[in-house]
Amino acid sequence: MERGGFGGAGRHDEEAPAMRPAPQQRYRTVESHDRAVVQMAPMEFGSSASASASAGPRYIKPGTNLRTDARMHMASSIGRSSNGSQGDSKLELFGFDSLVNILGLKRMVGEQAQASASPRDGENEGIAIGHPKETETKLGTMMGVFVPCLQNILGIIYYIRFTWIVGMGGVWQSLVLVAFCGSCTFLTTISLSAIATNGAMKGGGPYYLIGRALGPEVGVSIGLCFFLGNAVAGAMYVLGAVETFLDAVPSAGFFQESVTVVTNKFVNGTAAGNATTISTPSLHDLQVYGIIVTILLCFIVFGGVKIINKVAPAFLIPVLFSILCIYIGVFTAPRPNASKWMTGLSITTLKDNWSTDYQRTNNAGVPDPNGSIYWDFNALLGLYFPAVTGIMAGSNRSASLKDTQRSIPIGTLHATISTTMMYLLSVFLFGALSTREGLLTDRLLCAAVAWPSPAVIYAGIILSTLGAALQSLTGAPRLLAAIANDDILPVLNYFKAYEGSEPHVATLFTSFICISCVIIGNLDLITPTITMFFLLCYAGVNLSCFLLDLLDAPSWRPRWKLHHWSLSLIGALLCIVIMFMISWTFTVVSLALASLIYYYVSLKGKAGDWGDGFKSAYFQLALRSLRSMGANQVHPKNWYPIPLIFCRPWGKLPEDVPCHPKLADFANCMKKKGRGMSIFVSIIDGDYHESAEDAKTACRQLSAYIDYRRCEGVAEIIVAPSTSIGFRSIVQTMGLGNLKPNIVVMRYPEIWRRENLTQIPSTFVSIINDCITANKAVVIVKGLDEWPNEYQRQYGTIDLYWIVRDGGLMLLLSQLLLTKESFESCKIQVFCIAEEDTEAEELKADVKKFLYDLRMQADVIVVTMKSWEADPDRSGGSKKDDPEVYRSAQSRIRTYISELKEAAERERRPLMEGGKQVVVDEQKVEKFLYTMLKLNATILRHSRMAVVVLVSLPPPPLNHLAYCYMEYMDLLVENIPRILIVRGYRRDVVTLFT
């Protein structure tokens, strides 16, 4: 297949211009005989095969709109008669845009088409995803990343504060300071490069990276803090430019300068005998000029990226030339008319400046024994770190980059390494150039040493700071607009910027913040604030890369091979350590601000349509926990009820009510403090293919209802031919490992006889038998309509009729009920049912001892009953003084059995019920009826006023009539308003050991 362009059957139109083959093409051209096209072609078009064959392949020119054109030719080209041979039919070429629509990829790539990286140079630009209009010129690595990063890093700190830092901290601590901060930015650059090369990157830079990795809440909180850091950084650069201008031209000030007299001292602290007068610009001059410069820069920013790209070299070239002049001046110093502190490069001077000399200064940074600020390494760290906070300048303009996956790593890393090396070299040069007094008192030592004149450095400083301010005022509005465009916070809708337009409203807001900080006028007070916001963003980038790398999700495929999760973790820890070293107060304030934004986004924000790393982390943790649990039997100490709530097996509910309202309340009663997982299940009778959409709709409704009822659980909808078949599928497949549901909860079918629902008995028995076979516990609730909610406090007893060994499930359920506010005032009574010949007192003592060891408080009562075999009157048949309900049950059972026998004799087949062969043992039927009658009478005698009664569920006899079993159950629950019929399973759920 040819790669140069589009063509059907490997050939082009004669009039089509030749297309240059791409060296690295992202998408191959689509031919008419491609398998995907053939398989995806709809067959309902009725055009003839001859018409299809006559339509030859057509070349599509690059840049044309393929959407409408491709649809028209799709309809005309792929249509053929059903009896036509495939070999005679020629599928006309699909346009790429239409192919994306067919394959369902339009939504996935459409939102990234304009903002993501465009094809590299030399790639076939004819492959456009639905964007017929021309897009703006994209930026390369040099102008898009390297130059902005270099302009932000080479800022005011290097020119007017770096020599002062070397004098205050000494050479060795200055080296440690530069290496410490450089390591932090270098590790952050590696993490940034890894995430940037993982996929397409829209506008927003670090916000986009952090938000897509850690979620919209974390992304918005850190993104807004980073926006504030960029806006405040613009004020810092403006103040630096104005301060340099006023130092160079003192006569330009409108107000009187501040004068400080400093007593000079040597390294050992002894007075030198003379004093130095230092003049600093007036605060009001800084404010006036700062506001004017900020407004002028805003006008440039309003011109757009094109104007900024044209202006940027004009700012950067003088800066690089000024740095070159500084180095030339350092190597040629001292020159004539040099200051008395200038010694030239000297080993002796380097040794004298090797140690530290921390001392007090005034608010302007001028050494003053009576100053209010005492400097140490942590304070220098806060002052110097903004000098390395320019590594995000390129990623902030990611929407304007030609190839983000290539430009961001290369441009950012080169800018970081080159500036760090320059800072390290400058420490040695400045430490060997001037005495300590010169380093601390000459605020513009760089200008004094520069060749050929200080004016070159003044110009370089002013242009450097203005260029950095311009980059900050350019990147911050785009960052804010990117956050607003994601539509997470409605309050940010005013700052949205549509594609192809400039974020003017965001620029105005950024300018307002910048002017507000300029009014403060103190450079040393602004820099710690900037440092915290930038460090918070850097920590977020490192944590994002660490989390993605640790999870190693299939979507994590960075092309940047230098990263490793350990480097990202070290980078994140380093950022946090630097934050606390600089200032506990600023760190707490910045974290509190980020937390408030996070909380606000969680409450008011909209959910993003992208997956985040935290959810992936939860998923990985759940998988590992599930694997660690294995499939072995859970120890009773670790057993926890996972109820499977059968929502609508029977009973009439409105169609818009997906679950009985009290089932959610009862499900919460089975979980301590409402915590735990419940699975709410409904079964839709029908064919899956026909009812799949109905099932999805019902599942959404049920999930919403569960959330509304504040029940921790998940919803599942099953489509099956019948309720019995559907439940059998559920009980076998629901859950994973030991996280399968262990208790089936359903409502007792009280309406089965009243509504003449003759299919309920067989379904009910089938469900119970399936639970027994699958080793699931069963809890059947009778009187669900009267079940109390959390606000209805109950007073009385919870009575347990313990008949068979159930692993302690009834005891556990009663204890769980006591943890609810509605039942906390109740007491538990345990009734042990035994035959008359049983040692009642011995049984009572054993049960009490058992409950004491379990630390369960309950009253124990032993109730004896005469068995059916031990009652001589039962052999003669029914008594006349038996209750009416008992005689009615006997009558209905006899009628039902006789009808089954007549039908079997008439059809000459065995006795069948519900499609299954059954055996009728009338004596056993009589025995079961009698037992249920006596048990019901015992419950009514002792527990008529009980709040809840729990009784053991008798299993359905094998090959027994389901109708008869329902009659037994009706007789058991007769006149008992609220009863739980419980059957445990072959495992203990309580233990004596803690």
Side-chain angles (χ1 to χ4, degrees):
M1 176 183 294
E2 296 182 9
R3 298 170 56 89
F6 295 107
R11 59 186 182 91
H12 296 285
D13 241 348
E14 294 179 358
E15 299 179 358
M19 297 186 64
R20 176 167 50 94
Q24 183 180 357
Q25 193 163 346
R26 189 168 302 155
Y27 304 106
R28 68 178 179 85
T29 56
V30 183
E31 301 293 346
S32 61
H33 55 270
D34 279 358
R35 181 178 179 184
V37 178
V38 175
Q39 290 182 348
M40 296 300 297
M43 304 304 294
E44 62 269 20
F45 296 97
S47 58
S48 63
S50 60
S52 299
S54 62
R58 185 176 58 90
Y59 175 77
I60 301 176
K61 295 183 180 180
T64 58
N65 190 356
L66 303 178
R67 186 174 303 166
T68 306
D69 189 73
R71 289 177 183 170
M72 178 180 64
H73 284 274
M74 188 195 314
S76 63
S77 62
I78 64 176
R80 58 179 179 267
S81 60
S82 58
N83 57 357
S85 62
Q86 184 175 355
D88 295 334
S89 176
K90 298 291 186 181
L91 289 178
E92 185 167 351
L93 175 67
F94 286 94
F96 182 79
D97 196 41
S98 299
L99 180 62
V100 172
N101 281 326
I102 293 172
L103 299 181
L105 301 175
K106 186 67 179 176
R107 180 178 178 273
M108 182 178 70
V109 301
E111 66 171 6
Q112 300 173 353
Q114 294 182 356
S116 63
S118 64
R120 296 187 182 179
D121 295 336
E123 199 167 13
N124 188 352
E125 297 180 359
I127 303 176
I129 306 177
H131 299 288
K133 65 178 182 179
E134 290 187 11
T135 58
E136 60 177 342
T137 304
K138 299 293 185 177
L139 304 178
T141 302
M142 178 62 70
M143 296 304 301
V145 179
F146 183 76
V147 170
C149 290
L150 208 61
Q151 282 187 315
N152 275 36
I153 296 174
L154 295 178
I156 186 64
I157 300 298
Y158 179 76
Y159 287 101
I160 68 175
R161 288 292 186 270
F162 195 70
T163 56
W164 185 90
I165 291 173
V166 174
M168 188 70 70
V171 174
W172 80 272
Q173 284 206 6
S174 299
L175 291 174
V176 173
L177 180 67
V178 173
F180 194 48
C181 298
S183 300
C184 177
T185 55
F186 177 75
L187 294 175
T188 305
T189 301
I190 292 178
S191 300
L192 174 68
S193 302
I195 304 178
T197 58
N198 187 49
M201 184 176 173
K202 290 179 64 176
Y207 156 72
Y208 184 84
L209 301 178
I210 297 173
R212 267 56 178 180
L214 301 182
E217 296 86 359
V218 179
V220 171
S221 58
I222 295 181
L224 289 178
C225 290
F226 188 60
F227 158 75
L228 292 176
N230 275 280
V232 177
M236 180 191 71
Y237 297 131
V238 169
L239 286 175
V242 174
E243 182 178 335
T244 304
F245 172 73
L246 293 176
D247 282 337
V249 189
S251 60
F254 299 104
F255 302 91
Q256 187 177 2
E257 296 179 341
S258 301
V259 178
T260 304
V261 179
V262 180
T263 300
N264 296 328
K265 61 179 182 177
F266 297 111
V267 179
N268 56 11
T270 61
N274 57 349
T276 303
T277 300
I278 300 176
S279 299
T280 56
S282 171
L283 174 62
H284 300 297
D285 285 332
L286 292 175
Q287 293 170 341
V288 172
Y289 279 101
I291 293 174
I292 294 174
V293 171
T294 304
I295 294 175
L296 293 177
L297 292 177
C298 289
F299 279 112
I300 299 177
V301 175
F302 269 98
V305 178
K306 293 182 179 179
I307 296 180
I308 296 172
N309 293 335
K310 295 178 181 179
V311 175
F315 285 102
L316 182 62
I317 293 175
V319 172
L320 299 179
F321 179 72
S322 66
I323 295 176
L324 178 62
C325 292
I326 292 175
Y327 286 143
I328 294 175
V330 168
F331 286 102
T332 60
R335 295 190 304 276
N337 300 326
S339 63
K340 57 183 177 180
W341 298 306
M342 198 76 63
T343 64
L345 295 178
S346 172
I347 297 297
T348 303
T349 306
L350 183 65
K351 291 180 180 179
D352 293 339
N353 293 329
W354 186 263
S355 60
T356 61
D357 187 20
Y358 294 116
Q359 53 185 291
R360 292 186 178 275
T361 66
N362 58 18
N363 290 334
V366 179
D368 186 354
N370 299 320
S372 58
I373 302 176
Y374 178 77
W375 292 88
D376 55 8
F377 182 81
N378 294 346
L380 286 184
L381 187 62
L383 177 62
Y384 170 74
F385 196 85
V388 297
T389 55
I391 62 175
M392 296 292 184
S395 61
N396 284 343
R397 306 165 71 175
S398 55
S400 302
L401 296 178
K402 183 181 299 184
D403 190 352
T404 57
Q405 298 192 21
R406 181 177 181 271
S407 298
I408 290 179
I410 295 177
T412 308
L413 193 62
H414 279 76
T416 303
I417 295 177
S418 59
T419 52
T420 303
M421 293 297 103
M422 189 195 73
Y423 284 136
L424 290 174
L425 178 61
S426 298
V427 171
F428 285 104
L429 295 180
F430 292 145
L433 176 68
S434 174
T435 62
R436 181 85 65 177
E437 288 73 25
L439 293 173
L440 292 176
T441 57
D442 194 345
R443 298 168 60 84
L444 289 172
L445 183 62
C446 291
V449 74
W451 174 90
S453 169
V456 177
I457 301 306
Y458 291 141
I461 295 174
I462 294 174
L463 292 176
S464 168
T465 51
L466 292 180
L470 189 64
Q471 297 297 336
S472 296
L473 295 177
T474 302
R478 281 159 175 76
L479 176 61
L480 182 60
I483 299 175
N485 287 340
D486 277 339
D487 203 20
I488 301 298
L489 281 180
V491 72
L492 299 179
N493 289 340
Y494 299 103
F495 304 111
K496 286 185 177 181
Y498 297 100
E499 186 164 351
S501 62
E502 294 292 328
H504 295 309
V505 179
T507 303
L508 287 176
F509 183 68
T510 305
S511 304
F512 173 76
I513 296 176
C514 185
I515 292 175
S516 302
C517 295
V518 166
I519 294 175
I520 298 176
N522 192 333
L523 192 65
D524 297 331
L525 292 180
I526 293 176
T527 50
T529 307
I530 303 170
T531 302
M532 292 303 162
F533 288 142
F534 278 100
L535 282 170
L536 192 63
C537 180
Y538 294 171
V541 172
N542 283 293
L543 285 176
S544 302
C545 185
F546 167 72
L547 184 62
L548 292 172
D549 211 353
L550 190 65
L551 297 175
D552 197 18
S555 59
W556 177 241
R557 300 182 302 273
R559 295 170 56 188
W560 190 253
K561 303 302 181 183
L562 296 181
H563 82 286
H564 191 267
W565 66 267
S566 59
L567 297 178
S568 302
L569 181 60
I570 294 173
L573 294 177
L574 200 59
C575 293
I576 297 174
V577 170
I578 292 176
M579 291 177 67
F580 282 100
M581 287 180 64
I582 293 173
S583 173
W584 283 83
T585 304
F586 280 103
T587 301
V588 172
V589 170
S590 60
L591 291 177
L593 178 62
S595 301
L596 288 176
I597 298 176
Y598 180 91
Y599 183 70
Y600 180 77
V601 175
S602 301
L603 293 179
K604 303 293 185 180
K606 301 178 182 178
D609 59 350
W610 60 82
D612 59 82
F614 283 132
K615 291 183 175 60
S616 182
Y618 298 152
F619 182 74
Q620 291 283 351
L621 181 61
L623 289 181
R624 293 180 181 179
S625 301
L626 184 61
R627 288 195 300 265
S628 64
M629 291 174 61
N632 298 327
Q633 181 174 339
V634 178
H635 192 273
K637 185 167 56 177
N638 304 322
W639 190 89
Y640 204 90
I642 304 178
L644 176 70
I645 312 297
F646 211 3
C647 296
R648 298 173 62 101
W650 29 71
K652 290 189 175 181
L653 290 175
E655 291 298 329
D656 57 344
V657 179
C659 179
H660 196 289
K662 294 302 181 67
L663 271 177
D665 295 333
F666 181 74
N668 282 328
C669 289
M670 300 183 66
K671 296 178 291 187
K672 193 173 184 180
K673 297 181 180 180
R675 292 184 305 218
M677 183 177 68
S678 299
I679 302 176
F680 290 78
V681 176
S682 284
I683 299 175
I684 297 179
D685 294 341
D687 182 76
Y688 175 70
H689 297 284
E690 297 176 356
S691 306
E693 292 300 324
D694 295 338
K696 294 177 182 178
T697 303
C699 188
R700 288 193 295 268
Q701 293 176 351
L702 184 56
S703 297
Y705 189 79
I706 293 171
D707 295 336
Y708 169 73
R709 300 296 299 183
R710 300 179 186 177
C711 186
E712 293 184 359
V714 296
E716 293 289 345
I717 302 295
I718 302 297
V719 180
S722 65
T723 302
S724 300
I725 297 176
F727 183 83
R728 190 162 299 162
S729 302
I730 293 172
V731 81
Q732 292 182 79
T733 60
M734 190 68 67
L736 292 172
N738 278 322
L739 288 182
K740 293 182 178 180
N742 46 32
I743 300 179
V744 176
V745 180
M746 57 182 172
R747 182 185 184 185
Y748 184 78
E750 303 174 49
I751 64 170
W752 75 278
R753 185 183 299 109
R754 184 172 66 249
E755 301 291 339
N756 195 24
L757 302 177
T758 56
Q759 76 279 6
I760 284 184
S762 59
T763 303
F764 183 74
V765 172
S766 175
I767 290 175
I768 295 178
N769 285 327
D770 291 341
C771 292
I772 295 174
T773 303
N775 199 24
K776 307 288 185 185
V778 182
V779 177
I780 302 173
V781 188
K782 191 256 182 180
L784 188 62
D785 295 334
E786 291 79 26
W787 190 264
N789 58 33
E790 56 182 335
Y791 305 108
Q792 295 175 332
R793 187 173 294 274
Q794 304 294 305
Y795 299 93
T797 61
I798 300 175
D799 292 353
L800 279 67
Y801 284 83
W802 202 358
I803 302 174
V804 296
R805 181 178 180 273
D806 62 350
L809 181 58
M810 279 200 298
L811 292 174
L812 182 62
L813 289 178
S814 63
Q815 295 297 320
L816 291 175
L817 288 176
L818 290 182
T819 63
K820 305 303 172 184
E821 293 184 3
S822 54
F823 293 99
E824 62 182 2
S825 301
C826 299
K827 296 182 179 180
I828 298 177
Q829 293 185 140
V830 178
F831 292 88
C832 300
I833 308 298
E835 295 185 7
E836 285 186 343
D837 298 336
T838 306
E839 295 290 339
E841 293 300 325
E842 182 178 352
L843 177 61
K844 183 176 181 179
D846 291 341
V847 175
K848 279 188 173 183
K849 177 64 168 55
F850 179 69
L851 295 177
Y852 176 79
D853 291 337
L854 291 176
R855 302 299 187 267
M856 293 182 180
Q857 295 182 354
D859 296 332
V860 179
I861 303 172
V862 177
V863 178
T864 59
M865 290 178 53
K866 184 180 295 185
S867 64
W868 188 81
E869 291 83 358
D871 189 355
D873 297 331
R874 303 313 306 170
S875 59
S878 174
K879 292 183 178 180
K880 294 182 181 181
D881 57 349
D882 283 337
E884 178 64 28
V885 292
Y886 179 72
R887 294 197 299 270
S888 298
Q890 283 182 319
S891 175
R892 289 192 298 270
I893 289 175
R894 292 193 185 100
T895 303
Y896 182 77
I897 293 176
S898 62
E899 290 177 355
L900 287 181
K901 290 181 177 179
E902 290 177 0
E905 291 177 357
R906 184 171 58 254
E907 299 175 5
R908 297 181 180 181
R909 56 172 174 78
L911 196 62
M912 305 285 289
E913 184 192 44
K916 297 181 180 180
Q917 186 174 352
V918 294
V919 177
V920 176
D921 188 341
E922 296 184 0
Q923 187 177 8
K924 184 177 290 187
V925 170
E926 194 72 21
K927 174 183 177 181
F928 288 156
L929 274 178
Y930 174 78
T931 303
M932 293 302 172
L933 173 65
K934 292 299 182 183
L935 183 57
N936 176 262
T938 302
I939 295 174
L940 291 177
R941 183 168 61 252
H942 295 92
S943 304
R944 186 178 291 272
M945 301 303 295
V947 174
V948 181
V949 175
L950 285 81
V951 65
S952 298
L953 172 68
L958 188 63
N959 296 328
H960 201 72
L961 291 173
Y963 181 90
C964 297
Y965 185 77
M966 286 301 304
E967 290 287 356
Y968 307 153
M969 298 301 299
D970 279 354
L971 193 58
L972 172 64
V973 303
E974 183 70 25
N975 296 326
I976 304 176
R978 197 182 298 156
I979 185 172
L980 302 181
I981 311 172
V982 181
R983 175 175 177 83
Y985 59 153
R986 296 184 296 273
R987 295 179 184 176
D988 291 331
V989 298
V990 293
T991 178
L992 304 178
F993 306 101
T994 59

